């Protein structure tokens, strides 16, 4: 059984919006990049506004989800992707988030 090391795992809810971040480092063969991650921004009980994940990395790759689209992206590395997610979320959200350092 492959091991997982949790790097980030937190959720914040503000004014009807949610941020849900899970980042785990792993040697699991399901994740050739070495990371199992989901970076989600959405409405509470509703639509996804923005999400990055690699839930199906071996078959679909790394994905960027928005309200109306799913696109396959190149994986730039975990830190770069997390920074991109933070920047895009701040641009899209009416809420100012307290990002975990």
């Amino acid at each position: 059984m492959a091991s997982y090391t949790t790097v980030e795992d937190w959720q914040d809810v503000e004014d009807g919006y949610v941020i849900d971040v899970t980042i785990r480092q792993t040697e699991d063969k399901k994740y050739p990049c070495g990371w199992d991650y989901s970076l989600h921004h959405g409405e509470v009980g509703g639509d996804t506004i923005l999400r990055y994940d690699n839930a199906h990395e071996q078959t679909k790759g790394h994905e960027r989800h928005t309200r109306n689209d799913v696109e396959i992206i190149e994986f730039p590395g975990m830190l770069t992707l997390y920074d991109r997610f933070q920047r895009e979320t701040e641009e899209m959200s009416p809420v100012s988030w307290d990002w975990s350092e």
Side-chain angles (χ1 to χ4, degrees):
M1 175 139 212
S3 66
Y4 289 81
T5 302
T6 300
V7 176
E8 292 279 340
D9 189 11
W10 59 274
Q11 184 181 79
D12 193 8
V13 177
E14 298 286 337
D15 297 330
Y17 296 92
V18 62
I19 296 283
D20 194 352
V21 172
T22 302
I23 302 171
R24 301 185 309 165
Q25 200 165 21
T26 184
E27 294 176 3
D28 191 325
K29 291 180 180 167
K30 290 179 6 185
Y31 305 101
C33 73
W35 298 96
D36 169 18
Y37 67 89
S38 175
L39 313 172
H40 175 82
H41 172 233
E43 298 173 357
V44 173
D47 290 337
T48 294
I49 297 170
L50 176 66
R51 183 175 71 249
Y52 287 96
D53 70 54
N54 66 335
H56 310 284
E57 183 176 345
Q58 286 191 320
T59 57
K60 295 182 182 180
H62 300 264
E63 297 178 319
R64 180 183 185 269
H65 302 253
T66 58
R67 289 183 194 268
N68 300 314
D69 195 26
V70 177
E71 66 180 294
I72 304 303
I73 63 165
E74 290 295 320
F75 181 65
M78 198 65 246
L79 184 56
T80 300
L81 186 62
Y82 187 57
D83 288 344
R84 178 178 169 186
F85 173 72
Q86 286 181 5
R87 186 178 61 256
E88 288 183 69
T89 297
E90 290 297 330
E91 292 170 0
M92 296 176 169
S93 180
V95 175
S96 188
W97 299 96
D98 182 23
W99 296 95
S100 174
E101 294 296 325

